[in-house]
Amino acid sequence: MLSHFSKLFSYHELLINITLRDIKARYKQSLLGTTWAIIQPLSLMLMFTVVFSKFLHVNTNGTPYPLFSYCSLLPWSFFASSLTFAIPSLINNSNLVTKIYFPREIFPMSAVMSCFLDFLIAGILFVFMMFYYQVQISWYILFVPFIICIQILFTLGISLFGAAVIVFFRDVRYIVPLGLQLWMFATPVVYPTHSVPARYLSVYMINPMAGIIDAYRHVILYKSPPDMKYLGMAFIFSLFTFCLSYRFFKKMEMKFADVI
């Protein structure tokens, strides 16, 4: 893997250029431009606030529900949009894949990087929301970069595996949106982790996104350290997923041009 990383680094300028191309193409001839990065999690937050706060009365331990839900919708939207753009990235760029050689993982990686920019833009609104609700921050917020790295590692792992598989089985393009919808409700995005029955919690937290989103809420909203057991599980699973997926991707890489 070190040799693959070394070769990838030698193409870092191409990775940056394709990322910039993806960002420009996404908002080209768009009236609202990068504002769309905020509109998606904001609209979901408003809908969930009405349904889960006003009607279902989800217990958030005193945290305003708009802030509670937006804190989880930010990383979830980053994860979901990354998979949506990264998994079909090879077949969407088949004209380049079949013509010249360069590390093919550049396409899914650039898709994740462009979605990370959306994540940062949407995060600006979250900062204003924290000021509006007068939420004080603690030094535990220093965990946020570490949590983001774990999430990116896991996202890249799923993206690389999906991008390789979709070349051979185009059904994946239909599985991804359905899978993401089901996955969101198996993750504490619209409800708190403490609402999960204790007897099921250990199994529930095998989902790395559950540990990641729970960690975001703890360090930002609850002013407490993340549950290191579950965050550690998320890190180990993410690292394992990335290494295994990257190895699988590189093994299948030579077949892409013939099949795509």
Side-chain angles (χ1 to χ4, degrees):
M1 285 188 65
L2 291 177
S3 62
H4 294 320
F5 285 139
S6 177
K7 183 177 292 186
L8 178 62
F9 181 77
S10 66
Y11 285 89
H12 67 278
E13 291 185 359
L14 179 61
L15 175 61
I16 294 172
N17 288 331
I18 292 181
T19 301
L20 293 175
R21 185 206 64 176
D22 290 346
I23 294 171
K24 292 176 182 178
R26 188 179 305 176
Y27 299 114
K28 185 179 181 181
Q29 295 179 327
S30 172
L31 291 175
L32 299 180
T34 54
T35 309
W36 284 110
I38 299 176
I39 291 176
Q40 181 182 2
L42 177 62
S43 59
L44 288 174
M45 181 266 289
L46 294 174
M47 182 183 69
F48 290 153
T49 298
V50 172
V51 174
F52 292 95
S53 178
K54 303 300 182 182
F55 296 154
L56 299 181
H57 305 289
V58 172
N59 179 16
T60 61
N61 289 333
T63 303
Y65 192 84
L67 196 64
F68 173 87
S69 59
Y70 198 79
C71 183
S72 57
L73 282 167
L74 268 180
W76 179 259
S77 295
F78 168 44
F79 176 69
S81 60
S82 293
L83 298 192
T84 301
F85 287 106
I87 289 177
S89 60
L90 286 176
I91 58 177
N92 290 342
N93 292 278
S94 57
N95 58 325
L96 294 177
V97 173
T98 56
K99 289 181 180 178
I100 56 175
Y101 173 76
F102 52 87
R104 308 306 192 205
E105 62 268 30
I106 283 179
F107 289 120
M109 286 181 173
S110 64
V112 173
M113 288 174 62
S114 62
C115 290
F116 182 64
L117 176 63
D118 290 347
F119 172 73
L120 295 178
I121 294 172
I124 297 173
L125 176 61
F126 184 67
V127 173
F128 283 108
M129 289 176 66
M130 291 185 67
F131 277 111
Y132 176 79
Y133 287 107
Q134 299 180 347
V135 176
Q136 302 295 322
I137 63 173
S138 68
W139 70 271
Y140 292 115
I141 204 168
L142 297 177
F143 278 99
V144 168
F146 177 63
I147 300 170
I148 290 175
C149 288
I150 295 176
Q151 181 177 351
I152 291 176
L153 193 66
F154 180 64
T155 304
L156 284 173
I158 300 296
S159 298
L160 288 168
F161 178 77
V165 171
I166 199 174
V167 172
F168 302 94
F169 304 100
R170 302 301 170 92
D171 308 65
V172 174
R173 72 170 73 213
Y174 305 109
I175 296 173
V176 170
L178 174 61
L180 286 171
Q181 290 179 32
L182 298 176
W183 199 339
M184 186 183 75
F185 288 103
T187 304
V189 175
V190 297
Y191 55 85
T193 308
H194 63 73
S195 65
V196 179
R199 62 182 180 275
Y200 301 126
L201 189 60
S202 296
V203 176
Y204 176 84
M205 296 302 286
I206 292 176
N207 171 13
M209 287 304 297
I212 290 168
I213 286 179
D214 185 65
Y216 277 117
R217 284 204 182 112
H218 270 84
V219 303
I220 298 174
L221 299 181
Y222 303 154
K223 306 180 193 66
S224 63
D227 189 315
M228 297 307 296
K229 173 185 175 182
Y230 295 129
L231 187 60
M233 286 173 54
F235 171 69
I236 293 171
F237 194 93
S238 300
L239 182 61
F240 176 78
T241 301
F242 175 77
C243 293
L244 199 63
S245 298
Y246 193 46
R247 186 172 183 178
F248 173 75
F249 186 94
K250 298 304 291 184
K251 183 178 180 179
M252 306 303 294
E253 185 178 27
M254 292 298 102
K255 300 179 182 179
F256 291 160
D258 296 329
V259 177
I260 204 167

